[in-house]
Amino acid sequence: MKKILFNILICSGLLALASCEKKVTTEDPSTITHYVVFELNGDETMLVPLNSTFTDPGVVATENGTDVNDHVIVTITDPAGDAVTSIPTDAPGLYTVEYMASNADGFSASTSRTVIVYDPSVTASIAGTYSTDIDQSIYNSNSFSAWIAAKSYPGNSATVTFTEIAPGFFSCNDLLAGWYGQIRGYGAKYYMTGIVALNSDNTLTLISSYIAGWGDSLDYIKNAVYDPDNGTITYDSSYAGQIFISPVLVKQ
């Protein structure tokens, strides 16, 4: 009996060793691919004065140490995400220049830079935190405060912050003045983030906007004015083709 058990153990061990051997095949040989590597000439963010000329400094593109600049495809997009052939400098704007190239195996890589056309004559700043005047701010013909009282919305105040990102350009954490995120209580996912440009006459131009909760943007902002004497920002905005919000923002 002991001899039989001993033979079984030996056989089991041999089977285990056999199962551990790696089967080598040439059906799926491993390969190495070298992606194109980019080095930006100039800065990642470039400031271009109004009515000047923008000259793209380009990139240095290499694949495994070999120059492949002639393979680089350059794409310019405007704030709306539309492709343009060149960067106009007759009005403030924010553009993205993307450099893309594919390697010998067909795998692509890319890098990009931001180009901001700004007005050097703008010296004022709207940076700071603003309180939404709920009595003066309007949502579809009625004040925020009237809607809060009628609908028992959870929020009865809201704040908006503008942060300078370049001369005359400011990011805003909620261009809807807290209507959905704070007044209605939907949370930060429903803030309409965006970028505006301050002009020399203290009017504001909408550059871009986006609300993550619904994945879209404002239809427009018009009649936008910064009043430095009173520290207020006012404008009329349209969203989803049927929602009109005219906030009055008072600097804290």
Side-chain angles (χ1 to χ4, degrees), residues 61-74:
T62 56
E63 181 181 343
N64 195 24
T66 301
D67 187 313
V68 291
N69 264 36
D70 56 343
H71 295 168
V72 175
I73 298 173
V74 181

Side-chain angles (χ1 to χ4, degrees), residues 55-130:
T55 301
D56 186 1
V59 295
V60 175
T62 56
E63 181 181 343
N64 195 24
T66 301
D67 187 313
V68 291
N69 264 36
D70 56 343
H71 295 168
V72 175
I73 298 173
V74 181
T75 304
I76 305 172
T77 53
D78 64 14
D82 298 323
V84 295
T85 56
S86 61
I87 295 178
T89 63
D90 57 345
L94 189 151
Y95 301 86
T96 300
V97 182
E98 182 185 51
Y99 310 89
M100 188 277 290
S102 298
N103 67 4
D105 297 317
F107 296 102
S108 63
S110 64
T111 190
S112 64
R113 81 168 85 243
T114 300
V115 178
I116 299 175
V117 180
Y118 75 102
D119 185 349
S121 68
V122 176
T123 57
S125 174
I126 62 171
T129 300
Y130 295 73

Side-chain angles (χ1 to χ4, degrees), residues 27-237:
E27 295 175 358
D28 299 304
S30 62
T31 58
I32 297 175
T33 189
H34 296 279
Y35 284 83
V36 176
V37 177
F38 300 91
E39 181 181 347
L40 287 172
N41 292 323
D43 297 327
E44 186 175 355
T45 299
M46 297 186 66
L47 302 178
V48 181
L50 201 66
N51 297 318
S52 66
T53 301
F54 169 70
T55 301
D56 186 1
V59 295
V60 175
T62 56
E63 181 181 343
N64 195 24
T66 301
D67 187 313
V68 291
N69 264 36
D70 56 343
H71 295 168
V72 175
I73 298 173
V74 181
T75 304
I76 305 172
T77 53
D78 64 14
D82 298 323
V84 295
T85 56
S86 61
I87 295 178
T89 63
D90 57 345
L94 189 151
Y95 301 86
T96 300
V97 182
E98 182 185 51
Y99 310 89
M100 188 277 290
S102 298
N103 67 4
D105 297 317
F107 296 102
S108 63
S110 64
T111 190
S112 64
R113 81 168 85 243
T114 300
V115 178
I116 299 175
V117 180
Y118 75 102
D119 185 349
S121 68
V122 176
T123 57
S125 174
I126 62 171
T129 300
Y130 295 73
S131 298
T132 300
D133 186 329
I134 62 172
D135 293 321
Q136 298 298 319
S137 298
I138 302 297
Y139 170 84
N140 282 358
S141 302
N142 289 299
S143 69
F144 280 22
S145 56
W147 282 103
I148 292 168
K151 300 291 186 178
S152 299
Y153 290 145
N156 58 11
S157 65
T159 59
V160 177
T161 300
F162 289 86
T163 303
E164 187 170 19
I165 59 173
F169 283 78
F170 302 85
S171 64
C172 178
N173 72 328
D174 190 5
L175 290 167
L176 292 176
W179 175 253
Y180 289 109
Q182 299 172 65
I183 301 297
R184 301 285 295 273
Y186 290 3
K189 190 176 180 180
Y190 294 89
Y191 285 23
M192 182 69 77
T193 61
I195 296 175
V196 297
L198 178 64
N199 304 309
S200 57
D201 60 356
N202 287 326
T203 59
L204 297 169
T205 301
L206 177 65
I207 301 299
S208 64
S209 62
Y210 183 72
I211 188 166
W214 289 303
D216 52 12
S217 58
L218 289 170
D219 302 324
Y220 62 75
I221 280 181
K222 62 183 182 180
N223 303 321
V225 177
Y226 167 58
D227 183 343
D229 295 328
N230 295 318
T232 59
I233 295 175
T234 57
Y235 51 86
D236 300 320
S237 64

